Structure formats: structure tokens, C-alpha cells
Amino acid sequence: MGIVRTALLGLIAVFGVSAASAQDYKAALVTADTITVGTSGSAPPFSMTNAAGELEGFDIDVVNLVAKQFGLTAKFEKLDFAGLLPGLSAGRFDLIASGVTRTPERLASKDFFLLSPYIVNGAAITRREADTGIASWKDVCGKTMGAVRGGVFQKVAKEKLPADCVTESREYPGATELFLDLENRRIDFAAHDFLGPKYLAKSGKLTGTVTLDDLLTTITQSVAVSNKNKPLADAIDAQFETWRKDGTLQGLADKWFGASIDWSKAQ
């Protein structure tokens, strides 16, 4: 069976999605010939809004490549991160793309399909540069933590740190508001991903902060697809497998994160 599946994936990669499977997933799209995508627009560099008001980022590039590969048009709708998965479950979107972390709970959900990894990342601390008292996760007990509402990093921190370590935390609609409050000293540190703040600092969009290399855990992220369209989920998953192997996803990681991805951790 493994040999047959590998051969089939190879045929998909070479010849594109078959006419039959294309018909299957096209029939279940929210809008004909269009992938309707929910995204936050506030999770740089996965999904962000530039000065001209246009969406850009790693997720936006990934979805546009998917749409081009499948002969569809991508239509993006912005929504606070906390509303994305509920919106997908309610049938508002065909998929959501905004740096969605692959947690056991999400992978087991019957409300949507969370696909195989398109990036490998980690749960990290971002703090003000001058606050040298926070040198690792061991130093955050008694500090005020900030995180994006609906994200997983605050949950991971509370699960993996000692009981009652973090006694005060605040949540924000997106990373923009999170890092603004960090800058303004309303929180002591941000529990967030590793790659996003690194990008912001490198591009000069986040100053006076440090993102520590001490990762609380390695995470993988991907897009989530409506449970009403398994053919679409299967087709995109097969494409991701091809793109992990041929360097397409690494090329996007180079562009947006300047990082080499260890795909052996993409479990």
C-alpha cells in the first residue's frame, strides 16, 4: 500500500490534481472556482497588512501558490485570530491560513482538517532588550505574560512551566497589539513563536526587543481546511508533501524568515 500511495502522490505532483478529484473539491467550495481564505492580517510574517493595506506574508504566498496550482482564485477575508477556526467550522471559509499551530487537540478535531506541516517553528520568549533578568523560560515565574488570543503559546507555557509560575497574563487580538504592549511595559514578556519576532526585528519593524533561542517546545504549523471539503484537504496535503521535498517551502522560508528548516522535525 505504501508503494501505491507514493506512486499516486508522484502522479499528482507531475500531472496536477486529476479531473475527478478537482471536480470533487470544486463542488464543495464556498464560492465557485474560488478558495475563500480566513486570515488575521496581524501575524507577521505569516499574514500581515502592508502600508498600502494589502495582505502579504508566508501564508499569503502559500495560498496563492495553491490557488495557482489548482486553477482557482484566492479570496482573503481578515478576522481576529480567535475567530478563524470557529469561522472555518461554521462554513464561512474553505481554509484558514495564519500560522496555525498543529496541536494534538486541533489535529484530533472533527470540525476541520489541520494539514501536514508547511513550517517548523518553536515556542519562544520575546522580551525588552534591557530586561536581562529574563534569560530563559526558567526566569518568567512571577512575570506578566502576553499572548495572542486564541493562540496556543500561553497554553503551552502554562502546561510546561511549574504550577502557578505564571500568575498574570494578558491576551491580544494579534501580534501587533501584543508587541506594542510589550514595548510600553504593560507586560514583561510575550509568549509567541520564534520565527515571527525574529523577522520583525530583522526588518526593523520591532525594535528594543530580544527573542530568546531557548525554545519551550518545537512546534509545526500549517493551514486548516473545512471538514466539508476533504478532497481539497487531501489535494493540498499532497502538494505540501511535494513542496517539502522539492524546496518550494524552504524557498518561502528563506524569503520570509531567513531560516533553514529542519524538516526531520515536521511530524
Side-chain angles (χ1 to χ4, degrees), residues 13-37:
V14 174
F15 297 108
V17 181
S18 70
S21 62
Q23 188 63 34
D24 287 342
Y25 73 66
K26 284 188 175 183
L29 293 172
V30 172
T31 302
D33 298 319
T34 300
I35 296 182
T36 303
V37 185

Side-chain angles (χ1 to χ4, degrees), residues 5 25 34 38 44 66 73 76 78 85 121 141 161 179-180 191 197 201-202 255:
R5 181 175 181 275
Y25 73 66
T34 300
V66 167
T73 299
F76 294 93
K78 288 197 290 186
L85 285 171
N121 205 340
C141 293
L161 293 172
F179 292 124
L180 182 61
K202 181 181 177 181
K255 173 183 176 180

Side-chain angles (χ1 to χ4, degrees), residues 31 46 99 145 166 175 186 189 200 208 228 247 261 265:
T31 302
F46 289 94
M145 175 176 71
V166 177
R186 296 189 182 99
F189 72 99
L200 289 173
K228 301 172 181 62
I261 305 304
K265 297 182 179 179

